[in-house]
Amino acid sequence: MSPRTPHTDRADLRADCASCFGLCCVALPFARSADFAADKPAGTPCGNLGGDFRCGIHARLRDSGYTGCTVFDCLGAGQKVSQVTFGGRDWRAEPDSARTMFAVFPVVRQLHELLRYAAEALDLAAARPVHRELRRHHDAIDALTRGDAQALLALDVPALRAEVNVLLLRASELARSGVPGRRRDHRGADLMGARLRGAKLRGASLRGAYLIAADLSGADLREADLIGADLRDADLSGADLTGALFLTQPQLTAARGDGATRIPATLRRPGHWAA
Ligand code: SF4
């Protein structure tokens, strides 16, 4: 299989809340649901956000009905917008810039997501045939994230996403081509609540699959492509996710698991999982 180095875990693609003006807690909307205890429109500060831009209930988000906050990852977009795009000037001190700052944040979040996936593909030795093109796109997007607010708002992000996605697909195929046996294709499949206990899904494509509340306990998901798969409340107890492709921390945190679940080295075991 393709050996991977932990470049995916680069520091600038990790959230640094201490350097951010609480952008995810203001810019983004959420609706009262199983994931959020209250409604909040976009551009309005959450009632739990303190004057220091810290969450007042950070240590008890799940118990307080804010599970949705525990599975969001800005991938470093918050500090990029706060410190680079707006040069450390916060929306409370400069309210005239608030609307623009809140509009820029989701744009940079999407760019950082593309950088995160591209970085992982660049870590895949088997994907070397597409590394040159990937590197070119990666570096170009990296440069775009440092543009000014108006330049960022003018970007055609769906077009950038489509270009990168072609390369990510190819990288995935190359990385999974060495998996022995039949590789299942469940791309975009509706597998909500599916009984997949012990399923042989090594090297499968589960890109964008709906796996909400699926029973994947004991499943073999080694080298499976999980980009964009919805794993909310999926049971990963005892599953093997070693070498899973494009699996993110929010996906893992949204699922259930236990001490026997094997996860990629670049991710951490969620604290709420059973021992
Ligand atoms: S509950 Fe905390 S983390 Fe969630 S949006 Fe509000 S302030 Fe932010």
Side-chain angles (χ1 to χ4, degrees):
M1 288 310 93
S2 307
R4 272 191 274 178
T5 51
H7 295 137
T8 308
D9 196 28
R10 49 188 262 196
D12 63 328
L13 297 183
R14 256 185 274 133
D16 174 11
C17 300
S19 300
C20 173
F21 302 137
L23 295 184
C24 64
C25 308
V26 187
L28 307 180
F30 52 73
R32 188 184 177 99
S33 62
D35 291 329
F36 296 99
D39 293 316
K40 187 192 88 58
T44 303
C46 170
N48 297 313
L49 186 68
D52 57 357
F53 301 114
R54 302 288 180 100
C55 172
I57 58 168
H58 180 71
R60 45 190 167 87
L61 281 168
R62 281 186 168 269
D63 293 341
S64 304
Y66 285 87
T67 306
C69 300
T70 69
V71 298
F72 178 78
D73 187 348
C74 79
L75 298 168
Q79 70 259 28
K80 175 74 68 70
V81 174
S82 298
Q83 303 302 331
V84 178
T85 321
F86 287 86
R89 299 180 302 276
D90 75 73
W91 49 270
R92 280 191 175 121
E94 297 191 15
D96 287 350
S97 67
R99 185 187 291 253
T100 307
M101 188 181 290
F102 302 154
V104 164
F105 173 63
V107 173
V108 176
R109 165 68 176 67
Q110 291 183 74
L111 297 180
H112 272 224
E113 185 176 58
L114 290 177
L115 289 175
R116 187 259 181 235
Y117 288 138
E120 179 169 341
L122 287 167
D123 278 343
L124 295 169
R128 193 162 290 126
V130 293
H131 277 179
R132 191 171 168 167
E133 268 298 278
L134 260 173
R135 171 61 67 188
R136 192 171 67 78
H137 280 79
H138 173 281
D139 292 352
I141 292 170
D142 202 32
L144 290 174
T145 68
R146 294 167 213 289
D148 65 25
Q150 295 314 318
L152 285 161
L153 292 175
L155 288 176
D156 185 348
V157 178
L160 290 170
R161 185 179 286 279
E163 287 173 14
V164 174
N165 196 42
V166 170
L167 296 170
L168 296 179
L169 264 171
R170 185 75 187 114
S172 170
E173 286 164 2
L174 288 164
R176 292 182 296 115
S177 64
V179 173
R182 179 170 162 239
R183 295 189 304 280
R184 295 176 185 276
D185 187 356
H186 294 302
R187 185 176 176 185
D190 182 351
L191 295 168
M192 285 194 269
R195 296 177 187 169
L196 295 166
R197 186 183 183 92
K200 309 280 184 239
L201 292 167
R202 186 176 184 188
S205 174
L206 289 158
R207 296 174 67 89
Y210 297 93
L211 289 157
I212 300 167
D215 181 2
L216 286 160
S217 57
D220 185 355
L221 289 157
R222 287 175 292 168
E223 292 100 18
D225 183 345
L226 286 159
I227 194 167
D230 194 335
L231 290 167
R232 281 178 292 169
D233 211 30
D235 186 358
L236 295 172
S237 302
D240 191 349
L241 293 142
T242 306
L245 304 173
F246 306 122
L247 178 66
T248 64
Q249 192 62 50
Q251 283 173 298
L252 211 53
T253 304
R256 292 177 287 131
D258 63 13
T261 308
R262 302 186 71 180
I263 62 175
T266 51
L267 301 179
R268 66 177 191 285
R269 191 173 302 278
H272 65 89
W273 280 13

